[in-house]
Amino acid sequence: EVQLVESGGGSVQPGGSLRLSCAASGFTFSNYDMSWVRQAPGKEFEWVSGIRSGGDLVYYADFVKGRFTISRDNAKNTLYLRMNSLKTEDSAVYYCATGYTATRRTARYWGQGTQVTVSS
């Protein structure tokens, strides 16, 4: 059974940090480019960051550049997102997904999400 299981979400104050993890199983994780995607209440999905299968290239949406860092450990089948200098507008459910899509129906695999709330 294919699974992408996100964890690490929570509530933090503005300026705080969180590290999200996405544990993959049931498929060859190291063969897939991966992304983090988010959805705030009442808004569309937003692509946040992506990383090539080998971890050698990373990509970021402009609104997180310089604050978020994506990484992966193929030996552990795990994707990460380090989020620093969090802002209230970063509050959303964060999903990991295969590929670089922000559309659930076009991603081969998609996790269940983890909630991030940034509030004072």
Side-chain angles (χ1 to χ4, degrees), residues 20 33-38 45-52 57-72 79-83 94-102 110:
L20 306 183
D33 301 336
M34 297 293 297
S35 287
W36 287 97
V37 179
R38 71 185 187 186
F45 286 101
E46 284 185 308
W47 178 84
V48 173
S49 180
I51 185 168
R52 269 228 308 224
L57 284 177
V58 296
Y59 309 95
Y60 298 98
D62 285 345
F63 54 80
V64 302
K65 273 182 184 175
R67 300 189 298 123
F68 290 11
T69 302
I70 190 171
S71 62
R72 65 191 296 161
L79 178 72
Y80 302 100
L81 186 68
R82 176 69 180 180
M83 305 187 296
Y94 284 72
Y95 302 87
C96 62
T98 52
Y100 298 108
T101 182
W110 187 282

Side-chain angles (χ1 to χ4, degrees), residues 1 6 8 21 29 33 39 47 49 54 69 81 89 119:
E1 179 190 4
E6 300 94 336
S21 298
F29 176 74
D33 301 336
Q39 187 180 33
W47 178 84
S49 180
T69 302
L81 186 68
E89 53 263 43
S119 173

